[in-house]
Amino acid sequence: MDSMPKRTLWWGIALSVGGALLIMFVPPLMYSIFSADGEVGQTLFSFLELVLGVVRQLVLPLGTALIAASLVMFYIRGRSQPPESDRPKRWVLPDPLERSTDG
């Protein structure tokens, strides 16, 4: 059994949840930690705000794309395997005692 779709699904879920938590909790935490009084604090704050903006734009869409990709992989894997009814049947010869004797 291939674990690639499962791994992709779990990475997508982790990135989506992590991105949502990042969006909700990091900005208020940054505002409470860094004071904008000094020049050093303002520079660090603006740099972290820039990095957070880039991560915010990438993580959540990447997580949802990975979830969608895993669903496509599950679907393709299911379509590529033939159903049980389409499998070729194995020929089995009857026992010699079960054969009818015509003659």
Side-chain angles (χ1 to χ4, degrees), residues 7-73:
R7 267 188 286 149
T8 306
L9 177 66
W10 283 112
W11 271 105
I13 290 171
L15 282 175
S16 296
V17 169
L21 292 174
L22 185 79
I23 289 170
M24 287 190 313
F25 293 120
V26 171
L29 185 67
M30 281 179 35
Y31 287 123
S32 66
I33 291 176
F34 294 110
S35 84
D37 294 341
E39 185 178 324
V40 175
Q42 186 66 31
T43 305
L44 184 60
F45 180 77
S46 62
F47 176 73
L48 287 176
E49 186 70 30
L50 178 69
V51 170
L52 182 65
V54 170
V55 169
R56 193 181 307 158
Q57 293 293 322
L58 293 177
V59 171
L60 199 57
L62 180 62
T64 54
L66 286 175
I67 291 171
S70 70
L71 294 176
V72 169
M73 284 189 268

Side-chain angles (χ1 to χ4, degrees), residues 59-92:
V59 171
L60 199 57
L62 180 62
T64 54
L66 286 175
I67 291 171
S70 70
L71 294 176
V72 169
M73 284 189 268
F74 277 123
Y75 178 76
I76 289 174
R77 186 177 64 185
R79 297 283 293 181
S80 67
Q81 295 175 350
E84 287 292 324
S85 62
D86 290 348
R87 263 194 181 155
K89 303 293 186 223
R90 175 177 261 170
W91 287 88
V92 178

